[in-house]
Amino acid sequence: MSHVHDGAHESSHESSAGAANRVKTLVAALEAANVLTERELDETVESFLAHAQPANGARVVARAWVDDAFRERLLADGNAAVAELGIDLAHWAPVRLRVVANGPGRHNLIVCTLCSCYPLALLGPSPTWYKSDAYRSRAVRDPRGILAEFGTHVDAGVEITVWDSTAEVRYLVLPERPAGTESLSETELEALVTRNGLIGTALV
Amino acid sequence: MGGQHGFGSLQIESGEPPFHHEWEARVFALNRFMLRSGRYTLDEFRAAVESMPPAEYLAASYYERWLHGIERLVREKGVLDVRPG
Amino acid sequence: MFALGDRVRTRIANPAGHTRLPRYLSGRAGRVDAVLGTLPYPDRRAEGIVSARETAYTVRFENADVWGPDGEPRGSICADLFESYLEPLEEQ
């Protein structure tokens, strides 16, 4: 599968090899018990990667930047507003979307301290750092320090709200539209929106 | 672990692959499959992951924790038991 | 039942089983930021009671009320918490 890469990861070489063997044994047992097939597992991963796209989040934000009425609907009822764009949030599980808007003097940051809840449909697969103990422990206590590690500076006067996703509500940050983008089309604006901007670790 | 000290700085990877090994993708898919086929609920899964002894939990990688939870629920729920008929 | 803007305090608790009240928010004072309606109740669902549901709220906690002097001095934390986790707190 092409989405698997070598590189930095959390597990040690030995424990990873051990886990690989355990998975192989488990899958073989489940196949033998007619619970599932390897093909079904592969299709599950393919379907996830096809549906969970950060481009979806970018479309939502760009639309909110160009259409004030949509922005109001998005902040009032996230599920209904993204459904207007044909995005199905409930593909994996019934979650409620709350969109939180950055503004002058106001910044938002998303975390899940208890596990790793994340709006997959809008942001794509979550990065390893989001699921890490370092992020989960520190985002709620030291959000400014977290932002600094991403090279993101918010002024001392800006109030940060950290959203800890402890129930089946998923959060998405609506970043401020960058200055000097008045002449850009909606499609051009979409290209400016970064995944980290939608988590709140970057400004756009 | 919200607020706990000592986990150090973030490790931000380039490329940010969703899975680092084939087995991680398999673990992700196994959990999705079990949840969608109603073998267990997401809350039971979270509880199973949290039932790891703390030292093991902290030493394990993200998907190793998931694997522990899946293995435990497969045992507890008798998913491998032969069904009559 | 709580309403938007109500002052609440999270219960002091240390359950052996599953809960979605984070330890760092136990016994803390906050304010209802949103009423979420009825959601699946994780503490019971984790025990196999699949139909368990309870009213949930988004509660906003000022950082100083969570960390004292040892966190980000300004700003707040919002978490989604169930009715059972909360008790009313009189306005001071």
Side-chain angles (χ1 to χ4, degrees):
Chain A
M1 284 180 277
S2 60
H3 52 268
V4 178
H5 301 261
D6 291 328
H9 57 86
E10 295 178 316
S11 52
S12 72
H13 192 70
E14 304 79 50
S15 68
S16 181
N21 282 328
R22 280 159 63 198
V23 171
K24 215 169 155 183
T25 304
L26 179 59
V27 170
L30 289 166
E31 275 208 290
N34 290 318
V35 175
L36 49 74
T37 65
E38 289 203 50
R39 175 100 194 96
E40 284 173 311
L41 293 178
D42 288 342
E43 283 168 359
T44 301
V45 174
E46 284 159 21
S47 170
F48 163 63
L49 294 173
H51 278 89
Q53 295 283 344
N56 287 336
R59 276 170 63 211
V60 172
V61 167
R63 176 64 57 88
W65 282 347
V66 300
D67 181 343
D68 285 342
F70 178 80
R71 179 191 156 97
E72 291 308 312
R73 295 197 297 279
L74 182 66
L75 296 178
D77 182 347
N79 294 64
V82 303
E84 290 177 31
L85 303 183
I87 299 168
D88 175 18
L89 281 178
H91 178 72
W92 293 105
V95 292
R96 192 176 307 193
L97 177 67
R98 177 159 177 196
V99 178
V100 290
N102 291 344
R106 207 169 67 241
H107 187 79
N108 295 281
L109 181 69
I110 312 300
V111 66
C112 171
T113 62
L114 294 176
C115 43
S116 56
C117 299
Y118 188 81
L120 294 166
L122 296 170
L123 267 58
S126 55
T128 300
W129 61 257
Y130 184 86
K131 299 178 279 208
S132 71
D133 298 344
Y135 186 74
R136 289 169 52 196
S137 62
R138 196 142 60 86
V140 283
R141 175 173 59 78
D142 180 23
R144 237 172 260 276
I146 290 283
L147 292 181
E149 287 190 35
F150 286 91
T152 301
H153 174 79
V154 294
D155 288 336
V158 173
E159 273 209 21
I160 302 174
T161 300
V162 181
W163 301 84
D164 190 357
S165 319
T166 48
E168 297 315 314
V169 181
R170 296 293 172 270
Y171 290 90
L172 180 79
V173 175
L174 176 57
E176 284 189 278
R177 182 173 175 164
T181 59
E182 293 75 13
S183 62
L184 297 187
S185 70
E186 192 173 333
T187 311
E188 289 167 323
L189 288 170
E190 277 175 34
L192 297 180
V193 180
T194 63
R195 198 272 326 275
N196 285 5
L198 307 180
I199 303 172
T201 53
L203 290 182
V204 174
Chain B
M1 57 181 52
Q4 252 185 280
H5 290 267
F7 287 109
S9 55
L10 302 180
Q11 300 200 358
I12 303 163
E13 306 168 275
S14 60
E16 298 185 335
F19 305 109
H20 297 87
H21 304 278
E22 294 280 351
W23 70 262
E24 292 187 345
R26 274 290 160 89
V27 165
F28 177 89
L30 276 168
N31 191 39
R32 280 294 167 200
F33 188 91
M34 295 293 176
L35 288 168
R36 297 187 93 186
S37 56
R39 299 281 180 170
Y40 52 73
T41 64
L42 186 54
D43 301 298
E44 288 174 313
F45 173 68
R46 287 174 180 150
V49 170
E50 289 164 6
S51 74
M52 286 181 87
E56 280 178 41
Y57 179 92
L58 290 174
S61 72
Y62 183 74
Y63 284 112
E64 284 169 354
R65 294 171 187 173
W66 278 38
L67 177 56
H68 171 96
I70 297 166
E71 287 174 334
R72 182 183 170 116
L73 287 168
V74 164
R75 274 197 311 276
E76 281 183 2
K77 299 277 182 183
V79 175
L80 294 173
D81 294 354
V82 179
R83 283 149 191 257
Chain C
M1 290 290 285
F2 300 104
L4 191 67
D6 279 1
R7 292 273 291 160
V8 293
R9 186 187 291 280
T10 53
R11 290 189 186 281
I12 296 173
N14 186 25
H18 181 66
T19 185
R20 298 294 284 179
L21 172 62
R23 293 286 188 278
Y24 78 94
L25 290 178
S26 181
R28 301 300 205 270
R31 198 179 280 284
V32 173
D33 191 76
V35 180
L36 297 169
T38 308
L39 295 180
Y41 183 47
D43 303 45
R44 293 290 85 77
R45 277 169 58 91
E47 298 168 340
I49 305 166
V50 175
S51 61
R53 295 177 73 82
E54 203 174 271
T55 305
Y57 307 87
T58 304
V59 181
R60 185 182 293 266
F61 302 88
E62 296 304 318
N63 287 346
D65 292 337
V66 177
W67 311 117
D70 299 318
E72 159 71 25
R74 305 187 65 226
S76 52
I77 299 164
C78 288
D80 300 320
L81 304 176
F82 290 86
E83 182 104 27
S84 297
Y85 305 166
L86 305 172
E87 50 196 35
L89 188 64
E90 298 302 316
E91 293 284 347
Q92 290 174 351

